[in-house]
């Protein structure tokens, strides 16, 4: 079964607003990553947070990790039309050489 | 600068006609992956190579094979494509890291249509 489950499955917000997506997972992890996928394209890595980290920032992105709740959130501040995409969390567990993707959140930024 | 290249970008094949998808990388990464992604679904790992060591996922059909002749290239062979194999196929690479898995770098994907 998939490791990560994103919530919500789909999200539409106005340009300029903040977007928050959540990810829950089931077993212990070494790290958790967030990826973006524009329609019909490959995935682009956004940010990696290790199991001993609680928060990480990259530009307009903020990721939190709560290992006690087995959950992570991705916050995109001041959203732009170009942020319209699907966002996936991916976890790396006991095996070091593969990750498992969640089902993704489809984010739509309205003009 | 392209780092992970996939060819072709679009492939149409007939039911049962073998097809080969290719992936090349300029990153000199040890690990290469093949994923299958169906519409509105998450990428599903088919198999990966750690250097020359092949690692197949338990639920990957025998119809799917892979070859990695050198560090830079990796191929996905579908021996007898079925209609259910219509999907996007994504290649990715990552660097061997002593501390665990690092970022995966994805190619643009090959969209396969089986008729």
């Amino acid at each position: 079964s998939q490791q990560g489950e994103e919530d919500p499955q789909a999200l539409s917000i106005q340009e300029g607003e903040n977007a928050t997506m959540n990810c829950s997972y089931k077993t212990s992890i070494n790290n958790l990553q967030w990826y973006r996928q524009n329609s019909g394209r490959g995935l682009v890595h956004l940010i990696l947070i290790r199991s001993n980290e609680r928060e990480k920032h990259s530009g307009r992105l903020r990721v939190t990790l709560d290992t006690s709740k087995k959950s992570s959130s991705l916050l995109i501040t001041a959203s732009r039309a170009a942020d319209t995409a699907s966002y996936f969390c991916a976890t790396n567990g006991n095996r070091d050489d593969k990750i498992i993707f969640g089902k993704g959140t489809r984010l739509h930024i309205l003009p | 600068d392209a780092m992970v290249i996939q060819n072709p970008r679009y492939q149409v094949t007939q039911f049962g006609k073998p097809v080969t998808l290719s992936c090349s990388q300029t990153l000199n990464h040890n690990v290469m992956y093949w994923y299958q992604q169906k519409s509105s679904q998450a990428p599903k790992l088919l198999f990966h190579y750690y250097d020359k060591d092949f690692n197949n996922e338990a639920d990957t059909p025998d119809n799917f094979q892979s070859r990695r002749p050198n560090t830079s290239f990796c191929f996905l062979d579908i021996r007898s494509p079925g209609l259910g194999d219509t999907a996007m196929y994504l290649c990715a690479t990552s660097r061997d890291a002593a501390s665990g898995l690092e970022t995966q770098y994805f190619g643009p994907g090959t969209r396969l249509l089986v008729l």
Side-chain angles (χ1 to χ4, degrees):
Chain A
S1 61
Q2 286 178 330
Q3 178 75 301
E5 290 282 339
E6 284 90 342
D7 163 48
Q9 291 188 354
L11 178 63
S12 292
I13 60 171
Q14 294 293 137
E15 193 168 14
E17 293 181 341
N18 296 341
T20 299
M21 289 159 274
N22 301 298
C23 170
S24 60
Y25 56 92
K26 296 176 182 174
T27 61
S28 62
I29 61 171
N30 288 328
N31 63 58
L32 184 145
Q33 304 178 40
W34 284 91
Y35 287 81
R36 184 187 73 228
Q37 185 178 34
N38 291 86
S39 180
R41 307 295 290 272
L43 281 79
V44 174
H45 179 261
L46 296 176
I47 200 163
L48 181 153
I49 187 165
R50 299 195 185 279
S51 59
N52 61 353
E53 297 176 310
R54 292 296 167 260
E55 189 171 311
K56 208 162 183 180
H57 297 255
S58 176
R60 293 184 296 114
L61 305 181
R62 173 176 168 256
V63 168
T64 62
L65 178 64
D66 187 334
T67 53
S68 67
K69 295 181 179 178
K70 292 187 171 58
S71 68
S72 174
S73 67
L74 170 66
L75 169 67
I76 304 174
T77 60
S79 63
R80 305 169 182 169
D83 295 330
T84 293
S86 290
Y87 291 81
F88 294 91
C89 69
T91 52
N92 167 231
N94 294 328
R95 292 191 57 182
D96 290 338
D97 52 355
K98 70 176 186 180
I99 59 176
I100 299 174
F101 286 89
K103 294 180 180 177
T105 293
R106 293 188 306 279
L107 176 65
H108 187 206
I109 307 300
L110 304 169
Chain B
D1 293 337
M3 294 186 290
V4 183
I5 302 163
Q6 291 189 244
N7 285 302
R9 294 293 310 279
Y10 302 93
Q11 176 76 56
V12 180
T13 191
Q14 291 180 328
F15 180 94
K17 186 174 181 181
V19 66
T20 294
L21 311 182
S22 75
C23 176
S24 63
Q25 53 132 338
T26 59
L27 299 162
N28 203 34
H29 282 172
N30 295 70
V31 195
M32 294 187 76
Y33 308 81
W34 279 104
Y35 291 87
Q36 179 193 65
Q37 186 180 27
K38 296 188 176 180
S39 181
S40 300
Q41 295 185 21
K44 178 180 179 296
L45 182 64
L46 295 173
F47 27 57
H48 73 278
Y49 276 93
Y50 191 104
D51 291 324
K52 292 190 175 184
D53 293 333
F54 178 70
N55 298 272
N56 197 31
E57 292 302 299
D59 55 356
T60 297
D62 292 339
N63 200 24
F64 291 85
Q65 303 283 318
S66 186
R67 295 169 283 135
R68 189 178 186 187
N70 53 54
T71 300
S72 300
F73 285 87
C74 195
F75 300 96
L76 169 61
D77 301 307
I78 309 177
R79 292 189 298 186
S80 182
L83 300 180
D85 297 329
T86 290
M88 173 81 90
Y89 290 87
L90 296 164
C91 174
T93 72
S94 70
R95 183 187 60 166
D96 175 22
S99 60
L101 183 69
E102 296 293 335
T103 300
Q104 291 196 8
Y105 293 83
F106 282 81
T110 294
R111 190 175 292 277
L112 176 68
L113 174 62
V114 182
L115 299 175

